Amino acid sequence: MSAIREGTSSNAGIAGVIRRRPLVSFFVLALGLSWVAWTPWILSRDGLGVWDYAFPQIFGTSQFTGMLFGAYVGPLGAAFIVTALTGGRAGLRVWVGRLLRWRVAPRWYAVALLAVPIAVLLLGTIASGGQVQAPSLVALALYVPALLLQMLTTGLAEEPGWRDFALPPLQERFGPLGAAAILGPLWGIWHLPLFLTEWGSWPDVTWLNVVEFVAFSALFNVVIMWLFNRSGQSLPIVMLFHVSLNNTVTVFWSEMFPTVGADQLQHVLLIGATVAAAITIALTRGRLGLPRTTPLVGRPAPEAAKIAA
């Protein structure tokens, strides 16, 4: 009788809902916590201007003070909460284990660090019609420090949630392509309130900018998923791959391709992500890096499955 009461109480309230619906709970918390935390920044002079105050600027932007806390408390915080409630200490060890999985084959570091910058610079060269300027020494010197900063901000805030927590069970339940169809758009939608701030160039933003960004997120996620699976579910590799894009665009684009504006940049990135996702799906036959011996749906738990090196 006591066991029945204990089981009933453990599934009561919000904690019970989270235990019964961990993936749905994660997505609700990831979006909801971030959006609530971003509200003051959105309403400030750095956004809609409803409230007459501005967030302090660091390195010439208010994103560190206005956006970063909401980014951390959303995907990262939601993943921690749901994992702790559903998996306890054992679940947290598995979750953190992927975040600390640095020891992978060197080729994956080469892919993470070089593939995206080379692709972005190639796309820029094509889009600019070959009008390319050499980056300044300041930009070259800033690239690595900025990359490390991106790892501690964007990478750490997003990847332990979207790819570390959500991706393995999504793939197990829906297969790689099904998981991509769910995770990619939700990852893009998570950013939507940011378009009402300086992050999204408010007020000079259009619906086309928003739609293109969500589409780009969904397509870029396909390639990230492939790298996650092929690198043995290494979060450091995925984080490096993700932030290499942000860093290359931030540090080099305006200097090297001054004739290609922000709107055209978004078109270029969307085209590049579309081609990359199509090639990835075609070459892997929709498996996105999962070994051929692993069932696409209903496969064993990620830690027990064979992962390609």
Side-chain angles (χ1 to χ4, degrees):
M1 196 68 166
S2 60
I4 294 176
R5 289 198 192 97
E6 183 180 347
T8 302
S9 62
S10 67
N11 286 307
I14 295 177
V17 173
I18 292 174
R19 291 189 182 98
R20 291 192 299 271
R21 298 286 187 271
L23 274 173
V24 173
S25 299
F26 165 76
F27 288 123
V28 170
L29 287 171
L31 272 65
L33 291 174
S34 288
W35 291 1
V36 170
W38 287 335
T39 298
W41 191 43
I42 293 169
L43 296 178
S44 74
R45 291 203 302 267
D46 304 297
L48 298 176
V50 176
W51 293 344
D52 188 23
Y53 70 90
F55 278 73
Q57 293 199 352
I58 300 175
F59 301 132
T61 178
S62 65
Q63 293 184 40
F64 290 98
T65 55
M67 181 181 74
L68 197 53
F69 174 72
Y72 282 132
V73 78
L76 180 62
F80 176 82
I81 292 169
V82 178
T83 301
L85 286 175
T86 58
R89 292 183 179 179
L92 288 171
R93 281 195 296 269
V94 172
W95 177 61
V96 174
R98 283 189 287 263
L99 180 60
L100 301 177
R101 198 166 290 169
W102 291 94
R103 299 181 64 180
V104 297
R107 66 179 179 275
W108 299 120
Y109 281 99
V111 171
L113 290 170
L114 300 177
V116 170
I118 290 173
V120 169
L121 296 181
L122 178 60
L123 288 168
T125 301
I126 296 172
S128 66
Q131 300 181 39
V132 184
Q133 297 185 9
S136 66
L137 292 177
V138 173
L140 292 172
L142 283 176
Y143 186 81
V144 172
L147 183 69
L148 295 175
L149 181 62
Q150 287 271 5
M151 284 285 286
L152 295 174
T153 53
T154 301
L156 184 59
E158 297 190 31
E159 293 305 332
W162 303 121
R163 254 63 65 172
D164 191 348
F165 174 85
L167 180 51
L170 278 173
Q171 286 192 132
E172 183 180 349
R173 184 172 179 182
F174 300 105
L177 293 181
I182 297 170
L183 183 59
L186 285 173
W187 179 36
I189 289 169
W190 174 72
H191 294 81
L192 291 186
L194 297 176
F195 282 95
L196 301 176
T197 70
E198 68 167 64
W199 179 93
S201 301
W202 179 263
D204 301 318
V205 62
T206 67
W207 282 108
L208 179 60
N209 298 143
V210 177
V211 171
E212 283 189 328
F213 180 84
V214 174
F216 166 79
S217 299
L219 293 163
F220 188 50
N221 172 67
V222 170
V223 186
I224 295 178
M225 285 179 57
W226 169 82
L227 185 60
F228 176 82
N229 290 324
R230 288 289 289 148
S231 66
Q233 300 186 344
S234 169
L235 256 291
I237 293 297
V238 168
M239 289 166 63
L240 281 170
F241 187 77
H242 176 178
V243 303
S244 288
L245 172 66
N246 301 43
N247 203 46
T248 301
V249 171
T250 301
V251 176
F252 289 140
W253 188 272
S254 61
E255 285 197 2
M256 296 186 66
F257 312 109
T259 61
V260 183
D263 285 344
Q264 193 175 353
L265 166 61
Q266 194 167 34
H267 303 333
V268 168
L269 292 179
L270 178 58
I271 293 170
T274 302
V275 173
I279 291 174
T280 301
I281 293 171
L283 291 181
T284 65
R285 297 184 180 181
R287 301 190 69 88
L288 304 186
L290 287 179
R292 293 180 181 179
T293 55
T294 302
L296 290 182
V297 180
R299 60 193 180 91
E303 288 303 302
K306 288 184 179 179
I307 304 296

